[in-house]
Amino acid sequence: MKFTKYILFLLLIAFIGSSIYIAVQPNEISFSKTKIIAAPQEVAYTYINDLRHWTNWVPWKKTSTTDTNSNSKEYTWLQDNSIGRISTKQSSKPSHIQQDLVFHDYPKSELEWKIDSVSPKTSRVTLSMSSKNITFKKKAYYAIFGTPETDLAPKFETSLVALDSAIVKSMKVYSITINGVTNHSGGYYLYNTTTTSIDNYKSKVQQMMSDITDYIKENQIPMAGFPYVLYHDWNPENNTVSFSCCIPTTTQVISTNDKILTGLLPAFKTLKTTLKGDYNYLDKAWDAAFKHISANDLTRAKSNIMLESFITNPKYKVNPANWVTEIYIALADQDSTEQGYANLKLPSNNP
């Protein structure tokens, strides 16, 4: 009898001690994980803020093929016969997102995203989770089986790595469309021109386009369209390319800068091709255009006019997947293309 009382007394002491231990545990849980993402701040923010992308990288995967997750502000999933839900309650572009997390294994929690710019091409992404007013029952559960951090911290780390890969992959998406035969209206333009190595010409285009854009702005000259590069000669054997960076104008403009000239592009019949995606895929777009010309027995004009028109300004659309470039290759047409550019030689291979 005494032994039984002794055992019960010990159990009571253990129960009281455990209760005190559980009661004094923090009423809040919070932790965070950080990852450097190989994407500009705005791109990272936009991708994370659209929850339709989340199935590509979160640890909670949808089990229903009928759920298309069309809501960009809410992500739901089914796990162990319980529904989980993450919903965005506030976002501040391009650096901050607040969300609610509801799932049976965890207390109602808040997720917070901070996206900081590290460089023009990288960002620091921090994902934090916090839970407040933890009940005694939940504290007891966590004391035995571990807090949500024990389960979620490794998942957060893995998910941020997957997020990095998913964002980088999304930036590499591109499409090439052969729009078909059409007419280019031509018109006056201001331009600067050079010959440089093929290896160096892309950086040269950026520099020259910036120079002529600055001249247009400083002199308040009205633009009549999108800037473009007009190719004059492409010589892989000598590793050289000659081209002009052009900005169309509404009328003929007499330049006051001896490095910036005025030109007139005649109207011409053309094959139009559109690239949506990074400029790194321009070679593929030119390939597709040349193959279309060959496959459809189209005849290129003697003028050999070939140009790239930049519809999107990367300064305002930082995701390369959203950049739009139009390629025009002049086709034979007696009424328009046989004048003014008879001696113009442009690349017969990919620019």
Side-chain angles (χ1 to χ4, degrees):
M1 186 69 177
K2 289 184 178 181
F3 179 76
T4 302
K5 289 182 178 180
Y6 180 73
I7 294 298
L8 291 173
F9 179 74
L10 289 178
L11 290 174
L12 178 61
I13 294 296
F15 176 77
I16 294 173
S18 299
S19 298
I20 294 174
Y21 173 77
I22 294 171
V24 299
Q25 294 305 302
N27 291 324
E28 298 182 5
I29 297 175
S30 64
F31 63 95
S32 64
K33 294 297 177 181
T34 299
K35 169 73 176 169
I36 299 297
I37 303 293
Q41 179 188 29
E42 183 178 333
V43 174
Y45 169 86
T46 300
Y47 192 91
I48 296 168
N49 197 40
D50 188 342
L51 273 64
R52 290 172 296 187
H53 297 308
W54 279 41
T55 189
N56 298 324
W57 59 273
V58 292
W60 306 291
K61 301 300 181 182
K62 293 180 176 297
T63 58
S64 173
T65 57
T66 59
D67 185 359
T68 59
N69 196 40
S70 60
N71 188 345
S72 65
K73 297 298 181 183
E74 185 174 279
Y75 181 84
T76 58
W77 70 95
L78 181 65
Q79 182 175 313
D80 299 329
N81 295 319
S82 296
I83 295 176
R85 178 178 291 105
I86 294 175
S87 54
T88 300
K89 60 180 183 179
Q90 184 177 356
S91 56
S92 301
K93 187 177 182 179
S95 60
H96 190 240
I97 302 170
Q98 286 184 306
Q99 298 170 323
D100 287 329
L101 167 64
V102 179
F103 192 48
H104 77 104
D105 282 342
Y106 317 125
K108 184 175 180 181
S109 307
E110 290 186 353
L111 299 179
E112 182 178 19
W113 295 86
K114 290 185 178 179
I115 303 102
D116 299 309
S117 179
V118 177
S119 75
K121 293 185 177 181
T122 58
S123 53
R124 180 185 297 105
V125 174
T126 300
L127 172 58
S128 303
M129 177 177 171
S130 62
S131 305
K132 299 179 180 180
N133 301 320
I134 307 292
T135 64
F136 183 87
K137 182 179 179 181
K138 283 291 185 182
K139 288 183 181 180
Y141 178 87
Y142 298 150
I144 299 172
F145 298 103
T147 67
E149 180 177 1
T150 306
D151 174 47
L152 287 180
K155 290 182 178 179
F156 277 20
E157 289 183 345
T158 302
S159 295
L160 288 175
V161 172
L163 172 64
D164 182 27
S165 298
I167 293 178
V168 170
K169 183 178 179 180
S170 74
M171 292 167 58
K172 294 180 179 179
V173 172
Y174 74 97
S175 63
I176 297 171
T177 303
I178 303 295
N179 304 103
V181 177
T182 185
N183 293 302
H184 192 290
S185 60
Y188 289 106
Y189 61 95
L190 288 175
Y191 71 98
N192 47 21
T193 189
T194 192
T195 297
T196 188
S197 67
I198 293 175
D199 299 333
N200 185 53
Y201 93 96
K202 289 185 178 179
S203 61
K204 196 70 174 176
V205 166
Q206 293 180 353
Q207 175 190 332
M208 292 171 57
M209 197 64 79
S210 177
D211 290 343
I212 193 167
T213 299
D214 289 344
Y215 181 82
I216 288 279
K217 291 180 178 178
E218 290 170 2
N219 292 274
Q220 299 181 346
I221 300 171
M223 294 174 55
F226 299 105
Y228 60 89
V229 173
L230 180 63
Y231 290 95
H232 306 304
D233 183 66
W234 185 274
N235 193 326
E237 293 181 1
N238 295 325
N239 190 35
T240 59
V241 54
S242 298
F243 64 91
S244 296
C245 289
C246 314
I247 294 183
T249 57
T250 55
T251 59
Q252 183 179 12
V253 176
I254 306 302
S255 173
T256 58
N257 186 326
D258 57 3
K259 293 183 179 180
I260 296 178
L261 309 172
T262 299
L264 175 60
L265 185 69
F268 60 96
K269 181 181 177 181
T270 181
L271 175 70
K272 177 183 175 182
T273 303
T274 300
L275 166 69
K276 184 177 181 183
D278 198 309
Y279 298 144
N280 292 332
Y281 300 113
L282 277 169
D283 285 354
K284 295 181 182 294
W286 281 101
D287 270 342
F290 287 129
K291 288 178 181 177
H292 183 86
I293 288 174
S294 177
N296 291 274
D297 297 324
L298 300 176
T299 303
R300 291 169 58 183
K302 293 180 181 179
S303 65
N304 213 14
I305 297 174
M306 299 171 62
L307 58 87
E308 294 169 348
S309 183
F310 303 105
I311 310 303
T312 306
N313 188 337
K315 181 179 179 181
Y316 302 110
K317 285 195 175 182
V318 295
N319 190 342
N322 295 327
W323 297 349
V324 177
T325 310
E326 295 176 349
I327 292 174
Y328 295 90
I329 302 175
L331 301 177
D333 187 283
Q334 294 181 353
D335 295 332
S336 60
T337 59
E338 304 306 318
Q339 55 180 337
Y341 278 72
N343 297 320
L344 185 62
K345 183 181 180 183
L346 284 98
S348 55
N349 297 312
N350 301 347

